[in-house]
Amino acid sequence: MLSRRELIGLGAAAGLASGCAPLAARLRHKAPLDAFALPAGPTEPAVRLFGRAGFGHRPGDLQAYAADGHEKTVERLLHADAPEDPTLIAQISRLEAFRMNADEMEDLHREEVVRQLQQGAFLRSVYGANPLKERMVDFWTNHFNIYGPKETCAWRKGSDEDHVIRENALGSFPKMLEMSARSPAMLAYLDNERNVSGHANENYARELMELHTLGVDGGYTQRDIQEVARCFTGWMVEERFLRRKGTFRFDPDRHDNGRKMVLGHVIPAGGGEADAQTVLAIVSRHPSTAKFLAKKLSLYFLGERHPRVEGEVAEAYGKTGGDIRAMLRPILFSPALLEGSPILKRPLDLVASALRALDASTDGSRPIQEHLNAMGQAACQWPMPDGYPVKPTAWSGSMLPRWNFAFALAEGRIRGTTLERADLSKSVQVEALLGKKPDAELLQAVERDGLGVALASPEFQWR
């Protein structure tokens, strides 16, 4: 949810944005023409960094990288303290899914809430002032995946994204893990509301160890799953009359207070709510968690396994107690980031990077969401707890809808999304898009058939 200070600070921007979303998009400050010019020297490192540590470069990013160098640029991305565009805040504030409590949204249709969640997540990926933070929000949203259309999850997902994921995206993993465990959206999605003494439901316990911490080969057993489930009995969502519905609640009457044994650790009887907190401490400190997260981060940012980098990431986790910035430094400073094999853009990467590079305007509404849906990556719509896949093979079947998006964007056929820089030549548009000078063949094709050719080209499909 937006803070009171953010809402008060919107001022005139919020008032102007309270009409139609396309108007709010047009109020954004457009990049000056000279920001589209390529800097002297190689641009591949900058394009690669902004494509991996964000959702692609924007006008001016390549020049800033050339002036500051890799190390200073990475540290700025890690710091992530740039103020957000007031117009972006205004657009997000108009969405009930991000500004209302779960119990206040009960009159809204589930599909409408999911649509707003998708719109808000997309706007932030395109216009967010801190690209690495937005990239990590995407990573953790999939790591702690919640399927929006399930039961009451949609009404609770906005709060989860803001307070569990966004507030901790570059902070402490153990803190985010505990907040996720208490998240009403997560408790509902993984059925922990049904986890009571004498009838333990193992769904959350299993995913906690398999997907959130230790990994499938992390050294736990089926008995560990059963014992962890017992520890989390009574962790549920408030639904009682005259109470704040939709918030976390621990019910001692539904908790199994017996003795438990988890991963070799004895949890004495009578611990109550602290039983589950002990479990979270055990799994967050386990060496398998450091290794599992190091592997996932390496695959996400580098596209393939790098044992040396993974070892450094796992070591950083252990030394800092799970500080996410410390874990990212070995990856972002690794030669593999700039010199390794390219990664096929997932649909969100493709769409967001196109709009960012061309300084496009979008309201993030249904028409552009339909393109993401056709490509297979609509936010909140992955039903399994493992999140959208990272491997390129998972997205190789989406080429036709990718091309359809490319030409629809170039030809102005996506309502609410426009390329407004008519003052740019086609050659400059292609250079801005690719971050390098195009070869003569591609430029001739663009001159003949339009910018959609460049958007659909192999050069732009990879990052």
Side-chain angles (χ1 to χ4, degrees), residues 353-397:
S353 62
L355 301 187
R356 289 175 64 83
L358 296 170
D359 204 28
S361 291
T362 185
D363 59 13
S365 60
R366 191 182 304 276
I368 201 161
Q369 293 296 335
E370 289 174 350
H371 283 277
L372 283 169
N373 189 52
M375 288 183 255
Q377 199 186 1
C380 309
Q381 294 282 23
W382 188 257
M384 305 302 292
D386 56 352
Y388 278 109
V390 173
K391 293 182 178 180
T393 52
W395 305 103
S396 59

Side-chain angles (χ1 to χ4, degrees), residues 190-428:
L190 292 181
D191 304 314
N192 212 72
E193 294 173 293
R194 302 182 179 94
N195 186 19
V196 298
S197 179
H199 299 280
N201 185 297
E202 300 174 4
N203 285 4
Y204 178 72
R206 180 177 294 104
E207 308 311 346
L208 171 67
M209 290 191 284
E210 179 179 334
L211 297 177
H212 297 172
T213 56
L214 308 177
V216 67
D217 299 317
Y220 63 89
T221 65
Q222 175 60 27
R223 181 56 185 267
D224 288 316
I225 293 175
Q226 294 168 346
E227 294 291 89
V228 169
R230 291 178 60 211
C231 290
F232 276 91
T233 51
W235 281 49
M236 54 190 53
V237 181
E238 181 63 79
E239 295 291 350
R240 292 174 296 177
F241 183 61
L242 294 181
R243 307 295 175 94
R244 187 177 176 185
K245 294 185 178 180
T247 58
F248 170 79
R249 172 197 174 200
F250 173 71
D251 187 344
D253 294 333
R254 300 188 182 187
H255 180 67
D256 182 338
N257 256 318
R259 178 181 181 275
K260 295 103 173 170
M261 174 78 77
V262 175
L263 295 169
H265 296 264
V266 174
I267 300 178
E273 184 177 351
D275 287 354
Q277 293 173 313
T278 300
V279 168
L280 294 172
I282 291 170
V283 296
S284 65
R285 295 169 186 166
H286 199 285
S288 291
T289 296
K291 293 176 183 178
F292 179 59
L293 292 176
K295 174 185 174 181
K296 283 196 71 170
L297 286 166
S298 178
L299 288 172
Y300 185 75
F301 282 94
L302 305 179
E304 53 194 359
R305 297 289 303 275
H306 285 272
R308 181 187 62 80
V309 175
E310 291 176 27
E312 292 176 356
V313 174
E315 183 180 8
Y317 182 99
K319 285 183 175 180
T320 64
D323 181 80
I324 296 167
R325 284 186 174 89
M327 296 165 64
L328 290 176
R329 280 192 172 88
I331 295 173
L332 298 179
F333 287 118
S334 167
L337 182 79
L338 303 182
E339 300 169 6
S341 301
I343 304 173
L344 180 68
K345 291 180 179 179
R346 297 195 298 179
L348 178 59
D349 289 298
L350 177 71
V351 176
S353 62
L355 301 187
R356 289 175 64 83
L358 296 170
D359 204 28
S361 291
T362 185
D363 59 13
S365 60
R366 191 182 304 276
I368 201 161
Q369 293 296 335
E370 289 174 350
H371 283 277
L372 283 169
N373 189 52
M375 288 183 255
Q377 199 186 1
C380 309
Q381 294 282 23
W382 188 257
M384 305 302 292
D386 56 352
Y388 278 109
V390 173
K391 293 182 178 180
T393 52
W395 305 103
S396 59
S398 65
M399 296 314 297
L400 180 57
R402 286 169 178 259
W403 296 335
N404 288 338
F405 160 74
F407 285 96
L409 176 64
E411 296 166 9
R413 293 187 281 107
I414 305 177
R415 184 168 50 85
T417 300
T418 56
L419 302 179
E420 299 177 339
R421 300 312 297 251
D423 45 5
L424 297 175
S425 67
K426 288 185 177 179
S427 61
V428 172

Side-chain angles (χ1 to χ4, degrees), residues 78-149:
L78 283 166
H79 211 57
D81 62 350
E84 296 293 352
D85 187 329
T87 308
L88 172 61
I89 298 175
Q91 288 180 286
I92 299 297
S93 73
R94 297 174 62 245
L95 303 175
E96 290 95 337
F98 292 96
R99 64 179 173 82
M100 297 173 66
N101 294 321
D103 58 329
E104 297 174 330
M105 285 190 281
E106 291 181 352
D107 292 334
L108 295 178
H109 201 276
R110 179 184 291 106
E111 283 71 16
E112 171 60 17
V113 177
V114 170
R115 185 198 67 76
Q116 292 185 20
L117 292 169
Q118 294 169 339
Q119 185 176 3
F122 181 71
L123 287 171
R124 282 166 160 160
S125 69
V126 175
Y127 296 133
N130 298 289
L132 180 58
K133 180 178 180 180
E134 298 305 330
R135 172 59 75 183
M136 291 308 296
V137 167
D138 175 71
F139 176 84
W140 295 121
T141 298
N142 283 285
H143 186 80
F144 294 104
N145 184 57
I146 295 171
Y147 180 50

Side-chain angles (χ1 to χ4, degrees), residues 163-174:
H163 299 301
V164 176
I165 304 299
R166 186 165 292 279
E167 289 182 8
N168 299 288
L170 288 169
S172 164
F173 176 77

